[in-house]
Amino acid sequence: MTNWFLGKCMYEPRPFTRILPLAFARDGSWLSWTAWEEIFPNDGKVFSPRHPGVTANTLFAFDSVEVADALKTDQFHLGEIQKIEEVLDYTDFDPEQARRELVETGIFRSPGGRENVIVALAGDQCVRITLIPHSAGKNSFADLSGLDRLVTFDFNSSLFDGVKVEGRWFTIPDVTVGQQRGVVDWSVDKDFLDSLLKKLKRIATPEDGTVPFPSTKAQVQAILTTLDRFELFPSQQTGWQVANDRIKRFSADLSLGVEKIDQIVSVLSALSPIEERLRAEINARRERITMELRNRVENEVRREIEEKHSSLVVRNRALSEENEKLAEESARLSEEIKERSSKRSDVLREVEATIADLALVLGEPGIAISEPVRRLASNLDNILEDKGHLIEMIDEMPMPWIQPRRFDKRVMPTEWRELASTLRDAASLHGFDGSELTGIDILVRAGEAILLSNDIAISLIRCYSSVVAQGHFSVQSLDPSTFGHDDIWRMPSTGAATAFSRAWKSAEQDRSAMRIVLLEGIDRTPLNLWIRSFVSVLTSPERPPNLLVFLSMGGRVIDSERNVGGLGELVIPIKPTHQAGLTGDQLQRIFREQTAKGWFDHLTQPRPSKSEFQTLLQRCFEWKISDDVGLPLRAQLAAWPMQSPETDVLIRTIWGDLRGKEPVGEVMKMICAGREWLKSIID
């Protein structure tokens, strides 16, 4: 039996495309599913290497074929496809009511052309009709051809036990519609009566003394025309039905009034005619005099008020007109204030960036200050005079990965709620595992220093920075001249600011942009002279929270006596999984295509409320980690924008792997592999 799925093309075939599944068939109905990655690893899509014969956004049924030698993301290919038909549910209607609505009245449909639909009727049967939009209205009517002998089929009503797809019911191939059952007459009332009269004419033989049945076309047409003219066909009797209901109520009320006449006459006859006449006359005069006095007093009071307050009326009218003008001016000024406020924000951002550049230039010893300062001041003039964007300062020699690059704030930051999906997409493009990249993001934004091997560090950071930092990151290559903590901040040979200190300063100046820095080749230094003091600075309150730090090693430390045995407690060694072979990022670089690079505003990162923070703290204590609650709590705060049960399990798994506890869920292979890799180097 074919395993049918319901889906559509994600984009127009070229000729290949990918199919997005929306539901799967089981027991005669369509059922929904959310974790399609479990059925079609790894992205939940089915690859179609050929034109499937349909256009994008057209729903169809299909099955899949697993291809053993395909790429990991294209493991399942499109197999057989079948067209599907929409099902209209009329199982709760009388069949004649269904016919009248679809044939005589019409139903509202979205604009389009002819539609073949299945009409499900009571008694597990159905008919197949074609809906045609009416030229003068919004309703669609059944195609009249063939309605006098409309074939009925068996219908599997289990379809309605499932779910609707895009708000509609659709057939399952070879399941929903069964064998032919019979034939029904769904022709319009006029054609039905015409056919009936013709049949009666052929078989009618008048008895003695009776009028013969009409036998000419003219007589039959006169009957049909009369019924149509006076709207006596069933589909036209709305007005007659309303009149019929009203005359029933009117007749009942009239009958009740007639029955009460005797009682009314009896009551009136018991009253004194003279007393009744006088009382009626007095009441009438009282009402007339009261009305005359009210009108006279009202007119006199109104006239006196208008005479005394005419000047106030004129003043009030003038104030109303002035108020309207002031309201229009206020609206105009509000728009101008909003525009100038936005412009002011842009200018302030550029000024802050220029001040950061100026601070970096002033921090360089032995450099001629006058020329750079003069150019930066000129750039400030250009910004303040609205002459354009800031002109970057260009050194005589380019310094890739050393001088922090400017963030393009004209690019809107990505919403934090899209962080998890953006990380998964970037990991797939660069050949990394999505859950591992998510774990690395949580750890590094939680303030941990991540240790990588030299062969994978640049590739991983390039992947991660394309998501959170517009692809910008800094690299500081260490060498044996790094003897102490100060050498991380100033180059030992020249005293110039290092890439790390530049990144630190840039992160302080602009807290919205996340700055990524890699200390590359720590194994080339006497590690025990500076690593502990450096890590203590990273864990201090002075570190900007938007500064993300990575380290890398290529092998054993050059001086074994300068090794640090507890390095795994100071930093977190990680060896992530990397896909071998060609990746999407490599293909884009080969074809010189620009990769979409986004960023996240660190200042707008969602934070838990006081009550939610107490819940997080209680959750950490429930893990029985009160002796080391810092890392899990920081990880929970970093993962707050991605809050979900899966993220909670991921954090508990990371903490368990790092602390040797029993983890919840699958062990993070990158942490175990990183621990073994560091152990092989240190030992």
Side-chain angles (χ1 to χ4, degrees):
M1 183 176 179
T2 304
N3 294 324
W4 291 111
F5 296 89
L6 182 62
K8 60 183 178 181
C9 298
M10 294 183 64
Y11 46 84
E12 292 293 343
R14 304 193 295 262
F16 62 86
T17 184
R18 282 181 171 79
I19 311 302
L20 177 65
L22 300 176
F24 66 95
R26 177 172 294 176
D27 298 332
S29 59
W30 292 112
L31 300 179
S32 62
W33 189 255
T34 56
W36 290 107
E37 297 82 357
E38 298 177 2
I39 302 177
F40 304 116
N42 284 315
D43 57 354
K45 312 296 187 305
V46 176
F47 180 67
S48 175
R50 66 187 187 280
H51 196 296
V54 294
T55 59
N57 298 324
T58 299
L59 297 177
F60 58 89
F62 69 93
D63 66 347
S64 61
V65 178
E66 185 173 3
V67 180
D69 57 349
L71 293 176
K72 188 175 182 182
T73 55
D74 296 329
Q75 184 177 353
F76 287 87
H77 286 197
L78 182 66
E80 181 183 358
I81 67 171
Q82 288 285 345
K83 291 185 177 180
I84 56 175
E85 297 175 281
E86 183 180 353
V87 178
L88 304 181
D89 185 8
Y90 281 86
T91 54
D92 295 334
F93 286 67
D94 181 84
E96 173 58 22
Q97 289 179 321
R99 182 205 69 83
R100 187 171 299 169
E101 181 171 316
L102 293 168
V103 177
E104 306 286 351
T105 308
I107 60 175
F108 177 78
R109 303 288 288 180
S110 58
R114 298 169 62 93
E115 299 179 87
N116 295 323
V117 298
I118 301 295
V119 182
L121 303 173
D124 292 335
Q125 62 178 340
C126 65
V127 295
R128 181 178 278 109
I129 64 173
T130 301
L131 293 177
I132 303 176
H134 195 274
S135 59
K138 295 182 179 180
N139 285 2
S140 295
F141 296 81
D143 188 0
L144 300 182
S145 60
L147 291 182
D148 56 337
R149 292 188 58 80
L150 190 62
V151 179
T152 63
F153 299 89
D154 290 330
F155 180 78
N156 188 349
S157 59
S158 298
L159 177 71
F160 301 129
D161 295 334
V163 298
K164 291 184 178 182
V165 178
E166 295 186 354
R168 297 180 291 174
W169 300 106
F170 292 98
T171 60
I172 300 176
D174 305 326
V175 175
T176 305
V177 180
Q179 299 294 326
Q180 180 175 338
R181 177 180 289 190
V183 178
V184 294
D185 186 355
W186 270 31
S187 57
V188 297
D189 292 338
K190 187 175 181 180
D191 294 342
F192 171 75
L193 184 58
D194 186 17
S195 175
L196 180 62
L197 292 176
K198 290 179 180 179
K199 290 180 182 179
L200 293 175
K201 181 183 66 176
R202 288 195 297 268
I203 65 175
T205 54
E207 299 179 357
D208 296 338
T210 61
V211 179
F213 193 82
S215 58
T216 65
K217 285 186 177 182
Q219 291 172 321
V220 172
Q221 192 63 32
I223 294 175
L224 298 177
T225 302
T226 301
L227 293 176
D228 189 20
R229 180 188 307 164
F230 292 100
E231 298 181 349
L232 294 175
F233 284 110
S235 61
Q236 301 173 327
Q237 289 184 4
T238 303
W240 287 105
Q241 291 175 357
V242 174
N244 186 36
D245 295 339
R246 182 174 178 182
I247 197 64
K248 287 181 180 179
R249 294 192 301 270
F250 181 78
S251 175
D253 295 341
L254 185 61
S255 175
L256 180 62
V258 171
E259 292 175 357
K260 298 296 182 180
I261 289 178
D262 294 340
Q263 300 178 13
I264 296 173
V265 171
S266 176
V267 171
L268 292 178
S269 61
L271 299 177
S272 172
I274 298 175
E275 182 180 0
E276 186 69 24
R277 187 180 305 171
L278 290 174
R279 185 179 294 110
E281 183 69 20
I282 292 172
N283 291 336
R285 289 187 179 184
R286 181 185 293 113
E287 291 179 0
R288 185 169 59 256
I289 294 172
T290 302
M291 184 64 66
E292 291 177 356
L293 289 174
R294 180 184 296 113
N295 293 335
R296 184 183 303 170
V297 171
E298 182 178 351
N299 292 331
E300 291 179 357
V301 171
R302 182 183 295 109
R303 184 171 57 256
E304 292 179 0
I305 292 175
E306 290 179 353
E307 291 177 354
K308 292 182 179 180
H309 301 284
S310 58
S311 59
L312 294 178
V313 172
V314 175
R315 178 60 177 169
N316 185 42
R317 187 179 297 110
L319 289 175
S320 298
E321 295 176 355
E322 185 178 358
N323 186 43
E324 293 178 358
K325 294 180 180 179
L326 291 176
E328 294 177 357
E329 182 67 15
S330 176
R332 186 188 66 79
L333 291 176
S334 297
E335 291 296 327
E336 184 177 352
I337 290 172
K338 186 184 300 183
E339 180 181 353
R340 295 196 176 188
S341 177
S342 175
K343 185 176 180 181
R344 174 181 174 273
S345 299
D346 295 340
V347 171
L348 286 178
R349 282 197 299 269
E350 297 292 350
V351 170
E352 289 175 358
T354 303
I355 292 173
D357 288 346
L358 182 59
L360 291 175
V361 171
L362 294 176
E364 295 289 345
I367 188 171
I369 300 300
S370 59
E371 178 60 21
V373 172
R374 184 189 63 77
R375 280 185 286 168
L376 289 173
S378 176
N379 292 339
L380 286 174
D381 290 339
N382 289 335
I383 295 170
L384 297 176
E385 293 178 8
D386 197 18
K387 293 183 178 179
H389 297 291
L390 182 67
I391 302 173
E392 293 281 359
M393 183 182 70
I394 302 175
D395 296 331
E396 294 182 358
M397 181 178 296
M399 296 185 293
W401 296 343
I402 296 179
Q403 180 72 32
R405 286 185 287 174
R406 182 77 50 76
F407 268 59
D408 188 359
K409 294 299 182 66
R410 293 170 295 179
V411 177
M412 293 298 296
T414 311
E415 296 291 339
W416 279 98
R417 64 174 178 271
E418 301 176 9
L419 176 59
S421 60
T422 309
L423 287 171
R424 288 196 300 268
D425 294 342
S428 176
L429 179 65
H430 290 260
F432 291 96
D433 183 82
S435 62
E436 291 185 349
L437 186 62
T438 302
I440 291 172
D441 168 70
I442 293 173
L443 287 173
V444 74
R445 286 193 300 105
E448 297 296 320
I450 305 299
L451 178 61
L452 304 166
S453 59
N454 283 346
D455 58 345
I456 200 69
I458 295 297
S459 299
L460 177 67
I461 293 176
R462 179 179 286 114
C463 170
Y464 180 58
S465 64
S466 67
V467 176
V468 302
Q470 293 186 353
H472 302 334
F473 61 93
S474 301
V475 179
Q476 180 173 339
S477 296
L478 304 182
D479 54 47
S481 64
T482 305
F483 285 103
H485 173 67
D486 294 342
D487 294 335
I488 302 297
W489 300 85
R490 291 290 178 182
M491 298 178 64
S493 58
T494 63
T498 61
F500 180 80
S501 62
R502 293 171 185 268
W504 183 297
K505 191 65 176 179
S506 298
E508 281 186 337
Q509 292 292 335
D510 185 1
R511 292 299 178 100
S512 64
M514 285 186 276
R515 292 292 181 177
I516 303 174
V517 61
L518 167 66
L519 297 184
E520 186 259 343
I522 65 173
D523 53 302
R524 298 192 290 265
T525 69
L527 200 57
N528 66 329
L529 297 180
W530 62 272
I531 188 65
R532 294 186 184 278
S533 59
F534 176 72
V535 172
S536 66
V537 171
L538 293 183
T539 57
S540 66
E542 287 77 12
R543 171 190 176 179
N546 55 325
L547 179 64
L548 312 182
V549 181
F550 292 85
L551 302 93
S552 71
M553 295 181 67
R556 297 180 181 275
V557 179
I558 58 173
D559 187 354
S560 59
E561 295 182 357
R562 298 298 184 183
N563 209 340
V564 178
L567 184 59
E569 301 296 328
L570 299 175
V571 298
I572 298 180
I574 288 177
K575 196 169 182 61
T577 305
H578 191 225
Q579 174 184 337
L582 195 62
T583 64
D585 176 62
Q586 292 173 346
L587 285 175
Q588 288 182 337
R589 281 186 282 168
I590 290 173
F591 291 106
R592 299 183 181 276
E593 295 181 359
Q594 291 293 332
T595 305
K597 297 178 180 179
W599 68 291
F600 288 84
D601 190 341
H602 188 268
L603 294 177
T604 63
Q605 176 179 336
R607 301 288 183 181
S609 63
K610 185 177 181 180
S611 59
E612 291 170 336
F613 181 81
Q614 292 176 350
T615 303
L616 289 180
L617 190 60
Q618 182 65 31
R619 185 184 303 167
C620 291
F621 286 136
E622 290 174 358
W623 297 352
K624 299 179 180 180
I625 56 174
S626 57
D627 57 331
D628 186 19
V629 75
L631 173 58
L633 190 56
R634 293 198 309 272
Q636 288 280 6
L637 294 177
W640 187 256
M642 302 180 287
Q643 52 183 312
S644 66
E646 294 79 6
T647 306
D648 185 59
V649 172
L650 177 63
I651 294 173
R652 295 185 64 179
T653 302
I654 292 173
W655 177 83
D657 292 342
L658 291 175
R659 295 296 179 263
K661 306 287 185 180
E662 181 178 354
V664 177
E666 184 181 358
V667 177
M668 293 293 290
K669 296 179 180 179
M670 66 174 182
I671 296 178
C672 296
R675 188 185 301 113
E676 295 299 325
W677 162 71
L678 181 60
K679 183 178 179 181
S680 66
I681 295 176
I682 298 299
D683 295 343

